Amino acid sequence: MTATQEPVPTQTERSVPKPVFTDAEAGAREFPDSNLRRFNYFIPRKRKQSHYEDVTVEVQPDPRHYLSQGWLYGFADGKGGYPLEWTVLKAWGSDRPEPKRYPGSGGQGYEWPAHGWHEFRDPNEEWEQSIYRNNSNVVRQLNQNVDAARQSKAFDQWNPNWVQFVAQHVGAWMHVDHGLGLYLFANANRRGPTNMHNTAISVNSMHRIRSAQDLALYNLTLSEEIAEFDGEAHLRTWQEDPAWQGVRGVAEQLTSTWDWAEALFAANVVFEPLVGELFRSNLVQQAAPGNGDFVTPTLIGAAEYDYAERDLRYTKALFQPLVADKEFAEHNTRTMQSWLEAWVPRCLAAARTLQPLWSQPDAKPPRFEDALDRAKSRFGGILAELGLRNPKELNQ
Amino acid sequence: MTRQSVAKAHEKIQELSWEPAYHEPVSQYGTDYTFSKAKKKDPLKQVLRSYFPMEEEKDHRVYGAQDGAIRGNMFRQVQPRWMEWQKLFLSIIPLPEISAARAMPLLFRTVPNPELHNGQAIQMIDEVRHSTIQQNLKRLYMNNYIDPAGFNSSLRNFQNDYAGTIGRQFAEGFITGDAITAASVYLTIVAETAFTNTLFVAMPGEAAANGDYLLPTVFHSVQSDESRHISNGYATLLMALSDESNHQLLERDLRYAWWNNHCVVDAAIGTFIEYGTKDRRKDRESYAEMWRRWIYDDYYRSYLVPLEKYGLTIPHDLVEESWNRIWNKGYVHEVAQFFATGWIANYWRIDPMTDEDFEWFEHKYPGWYDKYGAWWENYNRLSVPNGHKPIAFEDVDYVYPHRCWTCMVPCLIRQDMVMDEVDGQWRTYCSEGCHWTDAVAFRDTYEGRQTPNMGKLTGAREWETLYHNWNFADIVKDMGYVRDDGETLVAQPHLDLDPKKMWTLDHLRRCPPFPSPNVSLNEMTDSERQAFHSDYVRQGPAGRPAPAE
């Protein structure tokens, strides 16, 4: 008797896509356009197109050059896209009407760039890789600084008045960062005329919001580490302390400004040097070491670096060409001078209401008037770089 | 800044907002919705100290894969048929992404809940990430794929081509009009929650099957952010639902947003997946099967239908009609056929279908060959210039369609075409849904209710109007779709890069002038127009002329 032979199960072939040699790599053949490996729809700022330009320029279209069918959706008033009149500033070509479209008109607009707004390039060259690299570096470093301070019991070295100062006043600044980050800068990322403007502005927004959160979470740590630290004092200070109501009033007024360029100018050209740097660099950074605190300056310093080295940098690059615009230099200069006349007194008044803070730490920082003079001097330097005059209000 | 729990950290950052005492933040966008200042939790619970390093780590993976692809000579294995369609897709998608970033401020003043604003700000910077990471992917393709034409002129082409214009709705719809309609219902509740599934998950899967593993690398990284955005939309939706007076507007906006997304996204992604692939395994999912899984089951049945218990009227009829169009009316096939008919106006090359493709289509869509087979055989026959004209000007039983005024995809399902005089102009629409969007929804009253914040349809919506009675050689030159020899077209109806087999401007000069369908429609007498309509709705499928009566 022979045993029945069990059939050997055949292994079924898995259904998967098969690799195919297609030889579709660059250089495999010569034909028209085969070597044209750069974006050919814009003129780079320098001889060679930068990576930053490649990933930002022209993503936001413009009916004045290539967008032949115009904007397809509008607000209730029929305006779509990114109207140039959302600021009173003008770049050359701003007043030319959008090309008319009609049967047989063709699709040609003005020659690229059609107007001067498209010439702006962010000197920080911000795009996604730079955003996450820079901000990750900051939060990692800050986390390490605070962890190291906890482990070495560094907070025990703070004198009691300084504990209160950090709880109230360093804490109060988080509200400025948050309010401007969200309701001025994030808001303005819908308003600028080109993708380069709006991307730079959105990165500025994240610097401020991150800085606000850095301060809030630092505040939380201090609540856990220092028995006497009042983690809610910043709220009362921001809402009730007369010394802060000037800053709060200006911060709120900045967020209420309709013209995106005015809001940006007032915040980064006027408010930050006269109030922000005054508080951060000329008060907190100066007072902290004498009061036994080496940790707070690392947080404040990170925010200061964001402003001084990145946000101010793109802001100057944004406004400088408008002051020197080949068509609207005078209009723009006059407008910015009028903004200075309006915002300098407001910001100086806010700065002066902060004066009582200078006497609160045990180890005193340099005098308020000296600090304000330094801030004014710095501000004057920024105006000179922009080609603007010091307003007479600065001497008040 | 130490390792507090996420919940504790998130709770702490709620202390950041404050009620203005001296000046209110500027109010630049309107809505007809009403929101009471309801407490609603930020669903993201994301703080930036963990967000930035997380995204940086995701970036490391993306860019590491890109380096690997170059070193591993990925482009020796990518399918040109697939890569060509990426010239269209990657010209479109960076704008919707960046528009989503721009849309977030529309919600700041209209949704009075500071806790939600934190999530919206993070979505803003997510979207900047997506837009630039996608531009960067396109740059990589341009540098490494055999034919850079169409990638190198991408954003100019996107802005002046009819196909780019169709895709642009998926961006402009986010940033204009009623703030809630745009930035919440259209963007987060419908586009991101429903249609990114096919965009960012289904399509990258097909890319991998065609030898391209960078599209999945980038788009899955993008999609992992989308889940947070979906939460943003859901939180706003629940706030809106808590006010009964919003239900009528929500119903309107869901109908508009659903139907427009279906018309636009299914047209594009359906075509890429079905006609851009070389993977013809019978057991791979068709677009219809993917749609059924990702959109019908995962979105409609699992997300949308449960909202009925909150009193929301769901557009069941439109969901079912979308499916009906995809499954029974051949929507995707009609669109692909139109793209191929109009290849002369494109900035990418379209590969003819082969017997293997026919077999797959017949297997997945029984009856496909009878409808579309002969036309694709003609396309193949007419693909290399040989004394004949481009297929659009040859007699292949295809009537050039009129364009839908609303979604701007042509009226391809001929029997559904609607013709109406709106705003003093005769317009054609691909469907009742699109007619309703223009004639009823995008108006300053809706069912007797004042809707002063509703947006407007604007622009020169019929691309052909711009080139009414032009010769196609001049059209292509005007748009800039000519290669660097000044003669050869960027677009080709085949993949052969032998210059002798490529179409040039000279070939197009032999074609007759190209009249605009809409201009012609408006020049007709009333009786001519009625006759045109009666004929049009008897045309098809596959664009065939109406049978003799």
Side-chain angles (χ1 to χ4, degrees):
Chain A
M1 197 174 140
T2 54
T4 311
Q5 196 84 34
E6 284 284 327
V8 180
T10 53
Q11 196 167 356
T12 51
E13 197 182 351
R14 281 197 337 115
S15 171
V16 287
K18 304 282 189 301
V20 181
F21 178 73
T22 58
D23 202 15
E25 68 181 348
R29 289 189 77 156
E30 288 282 325
F31 52 89
D33 255 23
S34 59
N35 295 312
L36 212 64
R37 297 185 186 277
R38 61 174 186 81
F39 292 138
N40 60 19
Y41 45 81
F42 68 94
I43 299 165
R45 185 174 190 82
K46 296 180 181 167
R47 194 175 58 81
K48 197 164 177 279
Q49 285 160 300
S50 69
H51 201 146
Y52 152 74
E53 286 177 308
D54 278 354
V55 297
T56 53
V57 178
E58 278 304 302
V59 171
Q60 187 176 305
D62 191 330
R64 287 175 177 77
H65 49 245
Y66 302 137
L67 196 68
S68 59
Q69 291 179 252
W71 296 108
L72 306 168
Y73 288 83
F75 289 103
D77 63 3
K79 283 184 183 163
Y82 299 84
L84 299 184
E85 61 270 24
W86 278 356
T87 174
V88 295
L89 296 183
K90 294 180 179 186
W92 65 265
S94 287
D95 281 354
R96 286 194 293 185
E98 289 183 13
K100 288 263 185 296
R101 305 299 179 197
Y102 48 85
S105 66
Q108 288 295 310
Y110 301 117
E111 194 177 335
W112 195 92
H115 55 74
W117 289 107
H118 288 284
E119 292 173 342
F120 168 67
R121 297 288 182 278
D122 176 2
N124 303 318
E125 305 207 325
E126 294 282 13
W127 67 295
E128 67 114 8
Q129 276 203 305
S130 65
I131 296 168
Y132 294 105
R133 276 181 190 156
N134 292 329
N135 284 284
S136 297
N137 282 343
V138 172
V139 295
R140 261 195 295 271
Q141 188 63 58
L142 295 185
N143 279 340
Q144 287 166 5
N145 293 347
V146 175
D147 276 350
R150 283 173 61 236
Q151 284 160 17
S152 62
K153 305 285 179 204
F155 304 121
D156 295 350
Q157 310 302 314
W158 292 15
N159 64 46
N161 265 349
W162 185 252
V163 170
Q164 197 179 338
F165 185 92
V166 172
Q168 291 179 336
H169 303 303
V170 174
W173 190 261
M174 69 173 83
H175 301 290
V176 179
D177 279 334
H178 180 77
L180 298 186
L182 205 48
Y183 301 115
L184 190 156
F185 290 106
N187 187 59
N189 111 101
R190 170 70 185 90
R191 313 291 289 177
T194 78
N195 195 41
M196 290 78 76
H197 290 87
N198 291 328
T199 298
I201 292 168
S202 64
V203 175
N204 192 161
S205 157
M206 292 319 284
H207 289 157
R208 301 304 293 259
I209 296 172
R210 194 216 66 233
S211 176
Q213 294 191 6
D214 289 344
L215 289 173
L217 299 177
Y218 181 50
N219 181 290
L220 182 59
T221 297
L222 295 177
S223 304
E224 292 165 351
E225 295 295 318
I226 305 173
E228 307 78 41
F229 191 88
D230 180 353
E232 294 184 353
H234 68 96
L235 292 168
R236 292 191 298 279
T237 302
W238 179 248
Q239 285 164 4
E240 297 162 19
D241 187 339
W244 279 96
Q245 297 317 295
V247 174
R248 185 178 170 191
V250 176
E252 290 182 3
Q253 195 163 11
L254 285 167
T255 66
S256 73
T257 304
W258 190 90
D259 182 316
W260 68 269
E262 181 183 355
L264 188 67
F265 181 90
N268 280 352
V269 176
V270 186
F271 178 82
E272 277 302 310
L274 291 180
V275 181
E277 288 188 330
L278 175 76
F279 176 76
R280 290 187 301 260
S281 283
N282 291 306
L283 173 59
V284 181
Q285 303 293 68
Q286 304 292 331
N291 287 283
D293 178 6
F294 65 82
V295 190
T296 306
T298 66
L299 273 88
I300 297 295
E304 201 68 299
Y305 186 89
D306 281 345
Y307 168 68
E309 299 300 322
R310 301 187 85 85
D311 298 334
L312 180 60
R313 197 162 166 239
Y314 91 81
T315 303
K316 285 191 287 195
L318 194 160
F319 288 108
Q320 262 162 348
L322 298 170
V323 172
D325 187 84
K326 62 187 179 191
E327 192 179 347
F328 294 111
E330 193 194 335
H331 165 84
N332 292 334
T333 305
R334 199 170 56 243
T335 304
M336 285 186 236
Q337 288 296 153
S338 75
W339 289 344
L340 289 171
E341 285 164 22
W343 288 99
V344 166
R346 289 171 193 159
C347 292
L348 280 178
R352 289 194 182 283
T353 59
L354 284 176
Q355 187 168 2
L357 272 58
W358 266 252
S359 58
Q360 291 190 15
D362 288 340
K364 300 284 183 288
R367 290 184 331 122
F368 171 79
E369 289 300 337
D370 293 340
L372 186 59
D373 280 348
R374 284 178 65 185
K376 284 180 176 180
S377 168
R378 156 88 161 151
F379 171 65
I382 294 169
L383 294 191
E385 284 183 76
L386 286 172
L388 296 172
R389 295 187 318 277
N390 278 3
K392 63 180 187 313
E393 290 80 1
L394 192 61
N395 301 321
Q396 287 172 357
Chain B
M1 292 295 300
T2 52
R3 296 187 199 90
Q4 290 111 353
S5 74
V6 172
K8 219 168 163 184
H10 186 261
E11 195 181 317
K12 184 68 186 178
I13 66 168
Q14 300 318 314
E15 293 176 7
L16 287 166
S17 61
W18 80 92
E19 282 292 322
Y22 307 98
H23 304 274
E24 288 285 330
V26 64
S27 178
Q28 290 158 320
Y29 312 103
T31 182
D32 299 320
Y33 285 77
T34 51
F35 291 89
S36 50
K37 286 201 172 183
K39 258 279 190 210
K40 195 89 217 131
K41 294 289 178 200
D42 169 15
L44 266 67
K45 295 222 181 306
Q46 185 90 54
V47 291
L48 293 177
R49 73 169 177 198
S50 57
Y51 166 79
F52 285 124
M54 173 188 76
E55 296 291 347
E56 188 191 34
E57 173 58 27
K58 284 161 64 174
D59 273 4
H60 287 328
R61 297 177 190 197
V62 167
Y63 290 97
Q66 292 187 349
D67 284 351
I70 305 301
R71 291 185 197 128
N73 300 315
M74 183 188 88
F75 288 88
R76 289 180 190 168
Q77 294 178 26
V78 296
Q79 289 291 350
R81 173 187 280 184
W82 176 262
M83 291 300 296
E84 290 297 322
W85 284 104
Q86 291 308 306
K87 292 176 179 174
L88 172 58
F89 177 61
L90 285 174
S91 75
I92 296 173
I93 197 68
L95 179 67
E97 295 284 10
I98 209 68
S99 301
R102 311 300 180 229
M104 291 300 105
L106 272 66
L107 300 172
F108 290 164
R109 288 282 283 151
T110 47
V111 183
N113 184 340
E115 196 168 331
L116 295 188
H117 300 167
N118 179 55
Q120 289 154 0
I122 292 178
Q123 176 166 354
M124 175 191 75
I125 207 68
D126 272 349
E127 307 288 9
V128 174
R129 172 176 190 258
H130 299 173
S131 178
T132 51
I133 205 172
Q134 290 161 7
Q135 270 291 114
N136 185 62
L137 176 65
K138 178 166 60 186
R139 184 177 184 268
L140 184 149
Y141 286 162
M142 174 180 70
N143 283 328
N144 294 282
Y145 170 62
I146 189 167
D147 183 11
F151 283 131
N152 53 20
S153 49
S154 172
L155 290 179
R156 177 182 179 180
N157 300 347
F158 165 61
Q159 294 184 32
N160 65 10
D161 183 66
Y162 76 87
T165 304
I166 294 169
R168 197 144 49 81
Q169 297 171 90
F170 198 66
E172 290 188 40
F174 306 165
I175 59 167
T176 50
D178 186 302
I180 301 301
T181 308
S184 194
V185 181
Y186 189 94
L187 169 58
T188 49
I189 294 167
V190 177
E192 291 190 300
T193 309
F195 286 89
T196 56
N197 281 327
T198 52
L199 272 169
F200 297 165
V201 182
M203 198 177 69
E206 206 51 46
N210 284 278
D212 172 13
Y213 58 79
L214 290 184
L215 198 84
T217 299
V218 170
F219 280 83
H220 288 178
S221 187
V222 166
Q223 184 69 2
S224 65
D225 295 327
E226 297 295 339
S227 57
R228 291 201 305 274
H229 308 170
I230 290 166
S231 305
N232 273 341
Y234 192 69
T236 309
L237 177 61
L238 292 185
M239 274 188 76
L241 277 168
S242 65
D243 187 333
E244 191 88 21
S245 69
N246 292 327
H247 289 202
Q248 184 187 24
L249 298 179
L250 277 169
E251 181 184 346
R252 177 198 67 184
D253 290 345
L254 275 177
R255 292 186 76 78
Y256 144 64
W258 169 272
W259 192 250
N260 188 265
N261 271 268
H262 154 67
C263 291
V264 173
V265 179
D266 288 332
I269 308 301
T271 299
F272 303 159
I273 288 180
E274 300 298 51
Y275 288 81
T277 188
K278 290 291 280 186
D279 181 14
R280 295 305 186 193
R281 288 171 299 130
K282 299 272 173 54
D283 56 353
R284 83 113 170 134
E285 277 187 330
S286 66
Y287 185 71
E289 289 166 313
M290 291 176 190
W291 196 94
R292 195 74 189 175
R293 178 154 70 101
W294 292 106
I295 294 182
Y296 194 90
D297 290 341
D298 279 10
Y299 175 72
Y300 169 57
R301 292 179 58 195
S302 306
Y303 174 93
L304 216 47
V305 169
L307 290 170
E308 278 186 320
K309 66 173 181 274
Y310 297 103
L312 187 63
T313 306
I314 305 297
H316 300 287
D317 57 328
L318 294 183
V319 176
E320 295 300 340
E321 178 56 16
S322 304
W323 172 246
N324 189 29
R325 294 220 307 177
I326 289 170
W327 187 242
N328 295 316
K329 297 180 177 175
Y331 185 57
V332 170
H333 309 300
E334 299 279 342
V335 171
Q337 186 190 14
F338 175 76
F339 275 137
T341 295
W343 71 261
I344 36 182
N346 297 346
Y347 45 95
W348 64 97
R349 298 177 293 145
I350 299 179
D351 192 17
M353 295 294 109
T354 65
D355 287 347
E356 191 187 0
D357 299 314
F358 292 171
E359 198 180 323
W360 185 88
F361 278 117
E362 190 60 29
H363 176 74
K364 289 292 183 181
Y365 299 96
W368 180 91
Y369 185 82
D370 281 349
K371 290 177 186 162
Y372 305 101
W375 188 90
W376 279 103
E377 281 164 356
N378 278 320
Y379 181 85
N380 201 350
R381 176 176 61 83
L382 299 168
S383 63
V384 173
N386 187 20
H388 56 79
K389 295 192 261 309
I391 191 166
F393 296 99
E394 292 285 345
D395 181 8
V396 288
D397 256 8
Y398 189 83
V399 182
Y400 191 85
H402 280 237
R403 204 164 280 274
C404 175
W405 190 259
T406 300
C407 75
M408 291 171 286
V409 179
C411 309
L412 297 168
I413 300 169
R414 313 277 168 144
Q415 70 269 29
D416 290 350
M417 190 270 272
V418 176
M419 185 179 78
D420 191 14
E421 188 177 14
V422 178
D423 296 334
Q425 179 186 25
W426 284 96
R427 298 173 179 172
T428 49
Y429 302 91
C430 71
S431 55
E432 285 291 351
C434 276
H435 174 248
W436 170 88
T437 297
D438 184 21
V440 178
F442 272 70
R443 298 284 148 181
D444 50 15
T445 57
Y446 178 67
E447 294 180 344
R449 169 187 186 150
Q450 297 295 305
T451 51
N453 288 296
M454 191 58 179
K456 296 278 183 291
L457 303 187
T458 61
R461 300 182 76 84
E462 196 213 34
W463 172 81
E464 291 87 346
T465 300
L466 272 50
Y467 295 106
H468 181 55
N469 284 335
W470 281 40
N471 178 278
F472 238 100
D474 296 324
I475 296 175
V476 170
K477 266 180 79 172
D478 189 67
M479 294 196 297
Y481 300 178
V482 185
R483 291 171 187 254
D484 62 358
D485 62 351
E487 276 298 316
T488 309
L489 309 186
V490 171
Q492 299 290 328
H494 59 74
L495 299 181
D496 195 333
L497 289 167
D498 177 351
K500 290 197 284 293
K501 294 182 179 167
M502 295 169 82
W503 291 74
T504 65
L505 291 174
D506 274 349
H507 294 121
L508 300 189
R509 295 214 180 279
R510 301 168 200 156
C511 301
F514 176 67
S516 145
N518 184 265
V519 172
S520 306
L521 180 73
N522 279 276
E523 287 171 349
M524 291 177 189
T525 63
D526 285 347
S527 59
E528 285 170 339
R529 232 177 338 260
Q530 279 314 319
F532 152 78
H533 180 263
S534 311
D535 182 77
Y536 197 96
V537 295
R538 293 191 308 111
Q539 293 169 12
R544 288 184 190 130
E549 285 185 281

